[in-house]
Amino acid sequence: MPTDTLQRVLLDMVNLGEQEPYGVMGGTLILNFGNADCGNGNLDVFNESLGFSKIGRFPLNTSVTSTFEFHLTLYPSTHVKHKVVNLIRKLKGKPTKLMVGDKFTLTKKKLYRSTSHIN
């Protein structure tokens, strides 16, 4: 994964998590890997028919009950260099390597509703 992409993901996670009761550590990260066709940033990440696979579910702090979920979908690289390297690997009889590109989607799903106070 490119370093600048990782930094953008982390900044987005911090910005979204700051508004929560336990901050970023009060969430769960759900990691998905999408198809190159879907990497246009115009996605409904909860729709599995778009073609992504769930990699895993990772609580950010196991001692705190999660109050929200981050749904992070990463997309493969479409860079020509990576395609050429994989073509050469195929010609040599080696398996291709999946390279993570710089596109991603990150959404937050709250797991609770705030209650309104009635006076």
Side-chain angles (χ1 to χ4, degrees), residues 13-30:
M13 286 176 69
V14 169
N15 288 335
L16 291 171
E18 282 179 340
Q19 304 143 3
E20 296 299 321
Y22 298 112
V24 175
M25 298 305 288
T28 298
L29 176 64
I30 298 175

Side-chain angles (χ1 to χ4, degrees), residues 6 21-22 25 40 44 47 51 65 68-69 73-74 78 92 98 104 108 111 113 116 118:
L6 182 59
Y22 298 112
M25 298 305 288
N40 59 10
D44 175 9
N47 187 350
T65 301
F68 66 96
E69 294 174 338
T73 304
L74 303 173
T78 56
K92 290 181 177 180
L98 192 57
F104 69 92
K108 180 174 79 170
L111 301 177
R113 292 186 184 176
S116 59
I118 301 173

Side-chain angles (χ1 to χ4, degrees), residues 17-97:
E18 282 179 340
Q19 304 143 3
E20 296 299 321
Y22 298 112
V24 175
M25 298 305 288
T28 298
L29 176 64
I30 298 175
L31 186 59
N32 302 306
F33 196 78
N35 292 337
D37 305 344
C38 301
N40 59 10
N42 191 13
L43 297 174
D44 175 9
V45 295
F46 301 109
N47 187 350
E48 294 184 10
S49 66
L50 288 176
F52 63 83
S53 26
K54 186 174 178 180
I55 295 175
R57 179 184 183 91
F58 308 97
L60 299 175
N61 185 350
T62 56
S63 64
V64 174
T65 301
S66 291
T67 59
F68 66 96
E69 294 174 338
F70 283 128
H71 291 261
L72 175 62
T73 304
L74 303 173
Y75 298 97
S77 173
T78 56
H79 198 275
V80 175
K81 175 184 171 185
H82 297 142
K83 290 182 178 185
V84 170
V85 168
N86 273 332
L87 177 64
I88 293 170
R89 288 182 64 83
K90 278 185 183 179
L91 292 173
K92 290 181 177 180
K94 297 179 180 178
T96 59
K97 288 188 177 182

